[in-house]
Amino acid sequence: NGLRGDLMDEELILKLKTAGAYYLTFAVETASPRIQKMLKKNIDLLKMKRMIELTDRHRLLADGYFMLGFPSETLKEISQTVDFALNSKLHTAAFFEVVPFPRTELYEIAEKSFPKIKQKIMEGNNPFSKWSYYREVTGINLNQIQKRVWLKFYFNLRRLTRFFQLMPKKVFFDFILWRHFLIQLSWRVKDRLS
């Protein structure tokens, strides 16, 4: 799932738990108010953070989805997103690089922001490609940022301890192996495509 946490309340979290949920994924995407406005998502980040905390308090695992490298996004705005994730009560998180797909509003924004590399955006438009339109335009290597954030996020003793406490034993090993496999696979595919 990719829940819009700012539209949730404690009653819904309790109902999800009663129904058997043990793992909720919050689609935060970005913690930059400017990028939120550009995407027309306009999440109430304070409420999102409270819902993540309530999810943890009610002994459910909280996962977060984050996107890095939106058109015109600055390093400071990327840092806002990273800081939100690192300072939250999320147990797991994924940090994806933005890929503007043709015939989407995001692609049109990227096209307007970077008219000189329109064709390159189209050619490198693959979520597993090592080529990054964002790096091409800004010089910022999102792959390095993703790896650093991933290490900082997952090598947090409090987060790891809480994760191990809450993860149901029957799915624990499958989850760990599967997530590790997917991360390793995506990095290897990116390396081979470059």
Side-chain angles (χ1 to χ4, degrees):
N1 54 35
L3 299 171
R4 178 141 178 175
D6 63 329
L7 299 180
M8 296 174 64
D9 58 19
E10 189 169 13
E11 182 183 354
L12 178 58
I13 291 170
L14 290 170
K15 284 181 179 179
L16 288 167
K17 183 176 181 175
T18 301
Y22 62 88
Y23 196 90
L24 303 179
T25 300
F26 294 88
V28 181
E29 294 180 8
T30 179
S32 162
R34 184 184 73 82
I35 300 294
Q36 287 276 342
K37 190 173 184 177
M38 180 182 83
L39 298 174
K40 299 176 186 155
K41 191 160 182 177
N42 300 314
I43 285 177
D44 180 343
L45 291 167
L46 289 175
K47 186 167 183 199
M48 176 78 80
K49 196 170 189 174
R50 280 195 311 272
M51 291 304 107
I52 292 168
E53 289 168 0
L54 281 171
T55 300
D56 176 64
R57 188 178 312 145
H58 288 294
R59 303 190 56 78
L60 293 165
L61 287 164
D63 183 36
Y65 286 162
F66 298 92
M67 304 292 294
L68 306 175
F70 286 99
S72 77
E73 187 173 25
T74 65
L75 196 53
K76 183 179 178 184
E77 289 170 320
I78 290 172
S79 294
Q80 286 177 305
T81 300
V82 167
D83 289 344
F84 182 95
L86 293 176
N87 296 317
S88 72
K89 295 248 181 176
L90 290 169
H91 304 101
T92 58
F95 302 91
F96 302 103
E97 184 169 344
V98 171
V99 177
F101 290 102
R103 294 185 295 280
T104 64
E105 193 171 339
L106 188 61
Y107 183 85
E108 291 171 16
I109 293 169
E111 203 174 50
K112 287 176 188 167
S113 299
F114 317 120
K116 291 183 181 178
I117 64 162
K118 176 182 172 182
Q119 187 57 35
K120 284 189 175 185
I121 292 174
M122 191 63 171
E123 291 166 6
N125 215 349
N126 176 338
F128 298 109
S129 173
K130 193 163 185 174
W131 182 87
S132 163
Y133 87 91
Y134 188 80
R135 184 177 11 177
E136 184 84 19
V137 172
T138 65
I140 297 170
N141 187 337
L142 289 177
N143 277 344
Q144 288 178 347
I145 292 172
Q146 285 171 306
K147 287 177 185 177
R148 279 197 310 262
V149 172
W150 193 88
L151 289 171
K152 268 184 155 178
F153 187 90
Y154 284 101
F155 284 94
N156 175 306
L157 186 59
R158 188 208 139 276
R159 192 179 317 278
L160 284 173
T161 303
R162 191 74 174 140
F163 175 81
F164 288 125
Q165 288 173 344
L166 297 178
M167 177 57 84
K169 304 300 182 245
K170 63 184 174 188
V171 295
F172 173 72
F173 289 107
D174 289 341
F175 174 83
I176 294 295
L177 292 173
W178 181 244
R179 190 155 188 119
H180 177 72
F181 169 76
L182 288 178
I183 290 167
Q184 293 301 317
L185 177 66
S186 69
W187 287 347
R188 287 189 179 125
V189 170
K190 280 184 178 184
D191 288 341
R192 287 190 181 154
L193 291 175
S194 64

